[in-house]
């Protein structure tokens, strides 16, 4: 009784009396009244079902009350109805009743979906008797699968019907249990494929396993209960069998007894409804003053209906009724039938209303655990639960129970803003509570970078290295924090080894290298780590940290760069086969890494030029500059000679054609004479070569340059002559050599040679005497030849003019006797030309390309015409004329040639036209006269 009084009481149900529907006039409806004589009742399939005893009309009815309150009935028995069982999943009703006194009661199975003369169809009737001994039926239960039905009797027997209970031929009836005490309750329990039957008498409780042959049974307890004082719970209580004694309420599993509850009082009715235990008991004492029972003392004949929540241990509702017949559950409500024929409905309040009502009371009394359990049992959403946890946490925090408070705040994670909790526990004395909260925040992957920072700072302040290592050394799939933030915090706190571990594990390569190089100063390890990275990352990190590594570990860094720029393969095997093709870094991009490390740079560049001939141009440029610098600063003659040869061989490798100017500047900056001359030669800068020797007054070299390249650039001899002419020294030997070549090649007019040498005071007439004599003799000889040629051309011209006049004034006699083509005797018809050639007509037509031209003279004539046309086309080609004039050894002949082509005057073929004749007629007459003689045979 003490336990019962400790349970909190709530009003989770609203009580109303069922009233008849309002009339048309809208008058107040009176309470609904059931027919008199109701003895048994049940509910299901949308109706309340009632059975009565014999009425005045001499009929025993089964009544159906739907939600519309329109009663309907049919006669089931003649005397009385003693038991009803309405199946919840099938529209099947099982009833037990009597038709006559002293006759065994009958079991009837009704199919409510089918009709027989307006009444439900009775599918089966059989007597309710255990064996041959007549006795009173005490209880009835039916399995929802329609394969089991159990009937309990007052003599302690239980009859089990197995098979299709709706048909006689498909079922089998047998006595399952025999005893000395009346059977007061039966219940089927289905768990998977296992079926149990609970049997309770006034003195004991037993469990039968029906899914096993021979139906083994087990006695669960040695005390029982009265009629209608047992029920089966729902899955929320694991389908336990509930037995209500006068002292306690017991719960049973098929194989053992479960918990018990000290609810004292004589129990009359027990039901289970939606997680609630409903108990109707006698009220033999004056009820205490409460909001549930009113303010007046209750009489002892009253009955109390209590609704218990066994999970949360509180009373959801309690009220007093007069003579309760039964409590039924239908349409989501409880219906209480009283002996006066009234029906009272208990409507459960909605979840939010219940929770608001209970929270106000529970929070005032600080019963947060009960509030939480209540909210969970009513499936309150996570937001509502979180608010309860928060208030509970605030309550504990205010009481100074920080450990308990943080546990409640942890339960709000995901709903309550973390900053609300963090601000409460920032005090150094509560840092361990804050650490626990932040840990859980990370485990649920709800932490941001600031939370990670704060948690790591907590670890470092607590100096809890084990927790710190446990936090950072989680597996890849369990990481619940921002790794980069963790690395920053650990580095700032001086936990370099932990930071490096995180960076390496989670492949934050930049942070790993930054800590190794800037904090730990472990350059060898950093270099080893870069060597394990994939190509792209190794390349980028060498560009970023190469200078630092080169300063501290130059040899190892150089070796890694050589590998990276040739055939890089990660030392850890991070890249599989087939992924390395083409993975070569641009060696030119790493040249800045070698600042102040010229020795390593030279080794690197020489390695690249050896193993990779197509290295970038910058590699060769830098290598040339390095070799020239070393050559320029070297004091040892042997080494200097070696460096000289290396630099020159690099220049001769052919890698500087596209950067000729750059290489030339480098050679000039370091005064590398042989390189400069080589580049001049490669660039065909012959004048620069000669000027170089002129500046160094190397006379023989000047002559050698002229001899080597004078054929390619004739002006070299002229420049050499001018150079020696300006020299006041005795250069007669060199001047004579130059003049000899100028004379042989006819490079300069004599007058120009004389003017050039006039500037040299040491050059006497004897120097050029031989040159002038030879030149004058050659010119005299040339004049004689020209005069002879002129005379020849004049004579030829006179002869041609006479022939033209003769053709114009005198007849032409054709005396050819042979064809000029076939050389056969000439026959008519024939074709004659003024040039003197004659042809057979058929030969002429076969070989001639034009009717107006002689086939024999045509090739020569065409050459002449082509020359004339070419002269006319080139008449205005001044650029070509200037070029030929400049490049020719004999400029006068070029001018004469162009003069002959008519460049300097306009060519006029015919100046005057005879009157009455056109130019075309005259030209045709001068070119040809064609005579065709045709002889006809008679």
């Amino acid at each position: 009784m003490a336990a019962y009084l400790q349970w909190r009481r709530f009003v989770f149900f609203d009580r109303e009396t069922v009233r008849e529907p309002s009339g048309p006039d809208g008058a107040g409806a009176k309470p609904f009244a059931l027919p008199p004589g109701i003895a048994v009742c049940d509910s299901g399939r949308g109706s309340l079902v009632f059975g009565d005893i014999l009425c005045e009309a001499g009929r025993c009815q089964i009544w159906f009350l739907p939600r519309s309150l329109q009663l309907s009935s049919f006669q089931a028995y003649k005397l009385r109805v003693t038991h009803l069982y309405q199946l919840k999943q099938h529209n099947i009703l099982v009833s037990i009743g009597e038709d006559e006194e002293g006759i065994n009661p009958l079991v009837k199975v009704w199919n409510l979906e089918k009709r027989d003369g307006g009444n439900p169809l009775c599918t089966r009737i059989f007597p309710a008797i255990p064996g041959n001994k007549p006795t009173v039926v005490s209880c009835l239960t039916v399995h929802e699968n329609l394969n089991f039905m159990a009937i309990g009797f007052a003599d302690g027997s239980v009859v089990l019907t197995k098979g299709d209970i709706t048909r006689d031929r498909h079922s089998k009836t047998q006595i399952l249990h025999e005893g000395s005490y009346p059977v007061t309750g039966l219940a089927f329990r289905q768990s998977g494929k296992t079926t149990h039957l609970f049997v309770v008498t006034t003195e004991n409780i037993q469990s039968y396993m029906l899914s096993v042959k021979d139906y083994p049974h087990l006695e669960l307890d040695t005390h029982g209960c009265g009629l209608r004082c047992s029920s089966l719970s729902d899955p929320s209580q694991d389908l336990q069998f509930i037995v209500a004694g006068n002292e306690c309420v017991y719960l049973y599993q098929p194989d053992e007894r479960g918990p018990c509850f000290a609810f004292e009082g004589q129990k009359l009715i027990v039901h289970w409804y939606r997680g609630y235990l409903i108990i109707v008991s006698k009220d033999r004492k004056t009820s205490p003053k409460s909001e549930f029972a009113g303010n007046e003392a209750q009489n002892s004949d009253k009955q109390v209906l209590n609704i218990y929540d066994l999970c949360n241990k509180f009373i959801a509702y309690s009220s007093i009724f007069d003579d309760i017949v039964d409590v039924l559950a239908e349409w989501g409500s409880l219906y209480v039938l009283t002996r006066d024929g009234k029906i009272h409905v208990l409507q459960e309040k909605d979840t939010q209303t219940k929770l608001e009502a209970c929270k106000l009371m529970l929070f005032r009394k600080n019963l947060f655990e009960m509030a939480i359990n209540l909210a969970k049992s009513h499936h309150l959403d996570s937001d509502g639960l979180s608010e309860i946890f928060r208030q509970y946490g605030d309550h504990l925090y205010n009481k100074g129970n920080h450990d308990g408070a943080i546990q409640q705040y942890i339960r709000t994670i995901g709903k309550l803003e973390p900053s609300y909790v963090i601000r409460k526990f920032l005090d150094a004395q509560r840092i361990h509570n804050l650490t626990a909260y932040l840990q859980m925040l990370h485990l649920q992957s709800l932490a941001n970078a600031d939370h990670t920072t704060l948690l790591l700072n907590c670890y470092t302040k607590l100096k809890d290295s084990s927790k710190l290592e446990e936090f950072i050394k989680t597996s890849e799939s369990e990481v619940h924090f921002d790794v980069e933030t963790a690395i920053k915090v650990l580095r700032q706190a001086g936990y370099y080894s932990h930071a490096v571990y995180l960076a390496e594990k989670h492949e934050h390569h930049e942070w790993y290298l930054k800590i190794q190089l800037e904090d730990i100063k472990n350059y060898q390890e950093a270099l080893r780590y870069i060597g394990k990275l994939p190509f792209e990352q190794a390349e980028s990190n060498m560009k970023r940290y190469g200078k630092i590594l080169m300063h501290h570990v130059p040899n190892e860094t150089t070796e890694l760069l050589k590998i990276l720029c040739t055939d890089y393969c990660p030392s850890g095997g991070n890249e599989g086969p087939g992924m390395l093709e083409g993975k070569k870094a641009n060696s030119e991009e790493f040249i800045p890494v070698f600042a102040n490390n010229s020795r390593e740079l030279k080794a690197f560049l020489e390695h690249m030029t050896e193993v990779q001939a197509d290295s970038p141009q910058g590699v060769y440029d830098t290598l040339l500059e390095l070799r020239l610098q070393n050559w320029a600063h070297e004091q040892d003659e042997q080494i200097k000679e070696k460096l000289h040869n290396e630099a020159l061989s690099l220049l001769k490798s052919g890698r500087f054609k596209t950067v000729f100017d750059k290489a030339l500047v480098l050679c000039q900056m370091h005064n590398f004479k042989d390189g400069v001359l080589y580049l001049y030669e490669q660039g065909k800068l012959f004048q620069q070569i000669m000027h170089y020797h002129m500046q160094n007054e190397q006379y023989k070299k000047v002559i050698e340059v002229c001899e080597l390249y004078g054929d390619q650039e004739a002006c070299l001899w002229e420049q050499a002559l001018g150079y020696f002419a300006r020299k006041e020294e005795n250069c007669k030997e060199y001047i004579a050599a130059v003049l000899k070549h100028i004379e042989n090649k006819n490079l300069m007019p004599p007058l120009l040679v004389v003017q050039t040498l006039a500037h040299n005071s040491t050059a006497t007439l004897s120097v050029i005497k031989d040159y002038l004599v030879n030149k004058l003799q050659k010119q005299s000889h040339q004049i004689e030849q020209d005069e002879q040629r002129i005379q020849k051309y004049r004579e030829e011209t006179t002869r041609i003019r006479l022939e033209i006049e003769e053709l114009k004034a005198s007849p032409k006699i054709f005396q050819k006797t042979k064809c000029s083509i076939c050389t056969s005797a000439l026959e008519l018809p024939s074709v004659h030309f003024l040039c003197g050639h004659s042809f057979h007509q058929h030969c002429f037509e076969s070989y001639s390309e034009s009717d107006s031209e002689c086939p024999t003279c045509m090739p020569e004539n065409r050459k002449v015409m082509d020359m004339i046309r070419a002269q006319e086309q080139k008449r205005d080609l001044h650029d070509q004329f200037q070029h030929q004039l400049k490049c020719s050894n004999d400029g006068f002949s070029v001018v004469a040639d162009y003069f002959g082509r008519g460049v300097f005057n306009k060519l006029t073929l015919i100046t005057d036209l005879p009157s009455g004749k056109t130019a075309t007629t005259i030209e045709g007459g001068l070119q040809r006269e064609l005579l065709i003689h045709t002889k006809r045979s008679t």
Side-chain angles (χ1 to χ4, degrees):
M1 190 65 182
Y4 167 72
L5 289 177
Q6 291 178 358
W7 284 28
R8 300 290 171 180
R9 294 171 178 262
F10 301 99
V11 183
F12 284 174
F13 290 82
D14 293 323
R15 173 179 172 176
E16 294 181 2
T17 300
V18 177
R19 298 181 178 275
E20 294 181 354
S22 302
D25 56 356
K30 60 182 180 180
F32 181 83
L34 289 172
I38 297 296
V40 293
C41 57
D42 201 358
S43 62
R45 306 297 293 179
S47 296
L48 304 181
V49 185
F50 310 106
D52 58 11
I53 60 177
L54 180 66
C55 60
E56 296 179 358
R59 296 181 300 173
C60 184
Q61 302 284 333
I62 292 180
W63 300 83
F64 294 92
L65 180 64
R67 198 165 192 176
S68 61
L69 303 181
Q70 301 297 322
L71 273 171
S72 62
S73 65
F74 70 94
Q75 183 180 0
Y77 299 91
K78 295 179 180 180
L79 188 60
R80 67 175 60 87
V81 180
T82 59
H83 296 83
L84 289 174
Y85 194 95
Q86 173 66 57
L87 277 80
K88 304 300 185 287
Q89 299 179 11
H90 303 276
N91 212 358
I92 300 295
L93 175 67
V94 180
S95 64
I96 300 178
E98 300 174 5
D99 286 333
E100 298 180 22
E101 290 286 354
I103 302 300
N104 291 329
L106 297 175
V107 179
K108 296 184 179 182
V109 180
W110 307 89
N111 188 335
L112 302 181
E113 293 180 348
K114 298 182 180 180
R115 293 290 169 177
D116 182 13
N119 296 331
L121 176 64
C122 182
T123 61
R124 184 179 182 186
I125 301 175
F126 63 93
I129 179 173
N132 297 321
K133 300 179 293 182
T135 184
V136 178
V137 176
S138 59
C139 53
L140 166 70
T141 187
V142 181
H143 199 292
E144 286 293 334
N145 63 11
L146 300 179
N147 287 327
F148 294 102
M149 179 169 60
I151 303 173
F153 297 90
D155 66 351
S157 301
V158 175
V159 174
L160 176 67
T161 300
K162 183 177 181 181
D164 189 352
I165 66 170
T166 63
R167 300 185 182 185
D168 289 320
R169 67 176 66 175
H170 294 99
S171 63
K172 178 182 178 181
T173 302
Q174 67 184 83
I175 298 176
L176 178 69
H177 173 81
E178 290 182 330
S180 304
Y181 306 104
V183 177
T184 57
L186 298 168
F188 287 108
R189 182 184 189 273
Q190 186 70 40
S191 177
K193 295 182 179 181
T194 304
T195 305
H196 289 89
L197 174 65
F198 290 101
V199 178
V200 59
T201 67
T202 56
E203 297 298 331
N204 60 27
I205 303 169
Q206 298 193 38
S207 168
Y208 285 84
M209 183 180 290
L210 304 182
S211 53
V212 178
K213 190 177 180 181
D214 298 333
Y215 307 138
H217 69 279
L218 177 67
E219 186 175 24
L220 300 176
D221 217 332
T222 55
H223 60 80
C225 65
L227 282 172
R228 303 197 298 173
C229 290
S230 62
S231 182
L232 189 71
S233 69
D234 59 19
S236 66
Q237 279 291 332
D238 199 19
L239 296 174
Q240 296 185 92
F241 187 54
I242 302 170
V243 177
N246 291 334
E247 299 297 331
C248 295
V249 173
Y250 300 92
L251 279 66
Y252 297 92
Q253 293 284 355
D255 54 355
E256 62 180 354
R257 191 178 83 176
C260 66
F261 299 91
F263 301 147
E264 294 185 354
Q266 184 180 354
K267 313 301 189 297
L268 302 176
I269 300 173
V270 173
H271 286 295
W272 186 268
Y273 169 73
R274 290 187 177 181
Y276 293 112
L277 175 63
I278 302 168
I279 297 179
V280 178
S281 58
K282 283 188 176 182
D283 184 24
R284 295 187 178 276
K285 301 177 182 179
T286 301
S287 298
K289 181 189 275 187
S290 71
E291 60 182 309
F292 304 100
N295 297 327
E296 298 180 359
Q298 304 296 321
N299 298 327
S300 61
D301 58 347
K302 299 290 184 181
Q303 295 175 353
V304 180
L305 183 146
N306 289 319
I307 302 177
Y308 300 95
D309 187 331
L310 300 184
C311 291
N312 300 310
K313 294 183 173 53
F314 65 83
I315 301 173
Y317 183 77
S318 180
S319 184
I320 297 176
F321 293 86
D322 294 327
D323 201 2
I324 298 175
V325 175
D326 207 345
V327 180
L328 303 176
E330 193 64 30
W331 309 309
S333 302
L334 291 173
Y335 292 87
V336 182
L337 281 61
T338 56
R339 192 65 63 187
D340 58 5
K342 294 181 180 180
I343 303 176
H344 305 273
V345 60
L346 299 179
Q347 179 67 45
E348 188 177 7
K349 297 179 180 180
D350 63 87
T351 302
Q352 193 62 34
T353 303
K354 290 189 294 184
L355 292 175
E356 290 298 329
C358 75
K359 280 196 295 184
L360 290 175
M361 184 184 76
L362 294 175
F363 289 178
R364 284 198 301 268
K365 298 181 180 181
N366 298 324
L367 299 175
F368 291 97
E369 288 292 347
M370 181 176 286
I372 292 169
N373 294 334
L374 179 63
K376 288 182 177 179
S377 64
H378 285 79
H379 307 292
L380 183 65
D381 60 20
S382 56
D383 292 333
L385 277 172
S386 177
E387 179 61 21
I388 298 175
F389 295 141
R390 183 194 65 79
Q391 294 187 38
Y392 191 14
D394 291 345
H395 168 71
L396 295 175
Y397 182 84
N398 293 330
K399 288 177 62 178
N401 184 1
H402 298 129
D403 293 340
I406 204 66
Q407 294 304 317
Q408 299 306 317
Y409 288 135
I410 286 174
R411 299 167 81 177
T412 67
I413 290 176
K415 298 298 180 182
L416 182 63
E417 177 62 36
S419 59
Y420 177 86
V421 180
I422 293 172
R423 282 196 298 267
K424 290 178 176 289
F425 293 89
L426 283 177
D427 188 5
Q429 295 179 354
R430 303 166 192 164
I431 194 170
H432 64 280
N433 299 124
L434 179 59
T435 303
Y437 179 80
L438 292 171
Q439 282 178 339
M440 191 58 63
L441 199 64
H442 282 81
L443 285 176
Q444 298 187 23
S445 300
L446 295 174
N448 57 29
D450 293 332
H451 299 148
T452 302
T453 302
L454 187 57
L455 177 59
L456 293 173
N457 284 329
C458 288
Y459 284 141
T460 56
K461 287 182 184 286
L462 292 172
K463 300 188 182 304
D464 192 346
S465 299
S466 60
K467 282 286 186 181
L468 180 59
E469 290 187 5
E470 180 183 351
F471 178 74
I472 67 174
K473 292 185 179 181
T474 54
S475 64
E476 185 70 29
S477 59
E478 297 176 355
V479 175
H480 304 287
F481 57 89
D482 184 76
V483 176
E484 186 171 356
T485 301
I487 295 173
K488 291 179 182 177
V489 175
L490 291 170
R491 183 190 183 198
Q492 186 176 5
Y495 285 78
Y496 300 130
S497 61
H498 296 78
V500 165
Y501 172 83
L502 269 184
E504 183 174 12
K505 178 180 178 182
H506 299 282
E507 298 183 352
H508 285 257
H509 310 307
E510 183 176 353
W511 281 107
Y512 181 92
L513 294 172
K514 188 176 293 186
I515 296 171
Q516 288 283 15
L517 296 174
E518 298 178 7
D519 300 320
I520 304 177
K521 310 293 186 182
N522 192 343
Y523 305 104
Q524 291 282 3
E525 181 62 26
L527 196 64
R528 180 199 63 81
Y529 185 81
I530 293 176
K532 297 193 305 180
L533 297 179
F535 172 78
E536 290 79 5
Q537 296 170 358
E539 181 185 24
S540 62
N541 282 294
M542 282 305 295
K543 291 178 181 178
R544 185 179 291 112
Y545 302 109
K547 289 184 178 180
I548 299 176
L549 293 170
M550 183 61 66
H551 178 72
H552 293 89
V553 281
N555 295 331
E556 294 83 352
T557 305
T558 303
E559 291 303 317
L560 179 57
L561 286 175
K562 289 179 181 179
I563 298 173
L564 188 63
C565 296
T566 52
D567 52 352
Y568 178 75
C569 179
S571 58
N574 293 334
E575 298 186 15
M579 299 179 63
L580 305 176
E581 185 176 355
K583 295 291 181 86
K584 297 180 180 179
N586 186 345
S587 52
E588 184 178 1
E589 297 177 356
F590 292 98
I591 293 176
V593 171
F594 292 89
N596 302 321
N597 293 83
S598 58
R599 182 174 60 84
E600 286 76 15
L601 175 59
K602 182 181 179 184
F604 171 72
L605 296 177
E606 289 177 346
H607 173 78
M608 293 307 303
T609 56
E610 291 174 3
V611 302
Q612 190 173 326
D614 58 343
S615 294
Q617 185 59 45
V619 172
Y620 288 91
D621 295 344
T622 309
L623 180 59
L624 176 62
E625 185 175 2
L626 277 175
R627 289 183 175 180
L628 290 176
Q629 287 179 354
N630 295 339
W631 172 82
H633 294 90
E634 184 58 49
Q635 300 299 325
D636 191 304
E637 291 299 329
Q638 293 183 350
I639 300 177
K640 191 177 185 71
E641 180 65 22
K642 179 182 178 182
L643 295 174
H644 174 279
N645 296 333
E646 289 179 353
L648 193 59
S649 64
L650 182 60
L651 280 174
K652 294 181 178 181
S653 65
R655 296 294 306 184
F656 299 91
K657 294 180 180 179
T658 58
V659 288
F660 174 83
D661 294 339
K662 186 174 183 179
L664 184 59
V665 169
L666 289 174
C667 292
Q668 290 174 341
M669 286 174 56
H670 296 88
N671 196 25
F672 190 57
K673 180 181 68 172
D674 292 348
V676 172
L677 294 176
Y678 172 78
L679 291 174
Y680 281 160
E681 181 181 358
Q682 294 299 309
K684 298 186 181 303
L685 302 177
F686 307 127
Q687 295 188 35
Q688 280 78 357
I689 297 176
M690 190 169 66
H691 289 164
Y692 179 85
H693 293 309
M694 289 177 177
Q695 291 175 358
N696 292 279
E697 297 185 351
Q698 297 174 338
Y699 302 150
K700 292 183 178 180
K701 291 290 185 180
V702 172
I703 300 299
E704 290 178 2
V705 170
C706 292
E707 291 175 347
L708 288 174
Y709 311 117
D711 294 339
Q712 301 179 46
E713 196 164 345
C715 61
L716 293 177
W717 291 102
E718 301 175 13
Q719 295 177 10
L721 182 62
Y723 169 73
F724 290 122
R726 290 189 297 272
K727 289 294 180 179
E728 295 299 328
E729 302 174 8
N730 188 4
C731 300
K732 295 181 181 180
E733 177 184 355
Y734 304 110
I735 293 175
V738 174
L739 287 176
K740 182 178 180 182
H741 192 85
I742 291 176
E743 178 185 355
N744 294 335
K745 299 293 184 178
N746 194 22
L747 299 178
M748 295 177 64
L751 183 59
L752 183 59
V753 172
V754 173
Q755 291 176 350
T756 302
L757 293 177
H759 300 288
N760 192 322
S761 58
T762 62
T764 60
L765 185 60
S766 61
V767 176
I768 60 172
K769 174 183 176 182
D770 294 338
Y771 167 77
L772 292 176
V773 171
N774 293 335
K775 197 66 179 175
L776 290 174
Q777 289 178 350
K778 287 182 179 179
Q779 287 184 357
S780 298
H781 180 70
Q782 183 66 38
I783 291 171
E784 291 177 359
Q785 290 181 348
D786 290 343
E787 287 178 351
Q788 292 176 1
R789 193 177 294 112
I790 290 171
Q791 183 63 31
K792 180 181 177 182
Y793 287 159
R794 286 176 179 174
E795 292 174 355
E796 184 70 19
T797 302
T798 302
R799 184 183 62 78
I800 292 173
R801 285 177 178 174
L802 291 175
E803 287 182 3
I804 292 173
E805 289 298 328
E806 183 179 356
L807 288 174
K808 287 181 178 180
S810 303
K812 179 68 175 178
I813 300 174
F814 300 100
Q815 296 178 345
K816 284 280 187 177
T817 59
K818 292 183 179 181
C819 177
S820 299
I821 292 177
C822 65
T823 66
S824 299
L826 197 61
E827 297 178 355
L828 295 178
S830 58
V831 179
H832 304 275
F833 284 89
L834 294 176
C835 60
H837 296 104
S838 299
F839 309 92
H840 292 115
Q841 184 175 358
H842 60 84
C843 291
F844 174 75
E845 292 175 351
S846 300
Y847 290 94
S848 177
E849 296 180 6
S850 174
D851 293 342
S852 60
E853 291 189 68
C854 172
T856 303
C857 299
M858 183 175 62
E860 189 66 27
N861 292 339
R862 285 193 175 181
K863 290 182 181 179
V864 175
M865 295 303 296
D866 290 341
M867 292 173 62
I868 295 174
R869 280 192 292 269
Q871 290 177 358
E872 291 177 352
Q873 291 175 357
K874 295 180 179 179
R875 182 178 298 175
D876 298 324
L877 299 181
H878 301 295
D879 293 339
Q880 186 176 357
F881 167 72
Q882 293 292 339
H883 177 72
Q884 291 184 4
L885 183 63
K886 182 178 179 181
C887 298
S888 175
N889 294 331
D890 187 2
F892 182 78
S893 61
V894 175
V895 174
D897 179 53
Y898 274 83
F899 185 85
R901 297 181 190 177
V903 174
F904 304 106
N905 64 325
K906 187 173 182 180
L907 180 63
T908 302
L909 296 177
I910 300 175
T911 56
D912 296 319
L913 295 177
S915 60
K917 293 186 179 181
T918 62
T920 306
T921 306
I922 294 174
E923 184 179 359
L926 292 174
Q927 289 184 359
R928 69 177 177 81
E929 289 183 5
L930 178 63
L931 300 177
I932 300 176
H933 302 280
T934 304
K935 181 179 182 182
R936 299 180 181 178
S937 59
T938 57

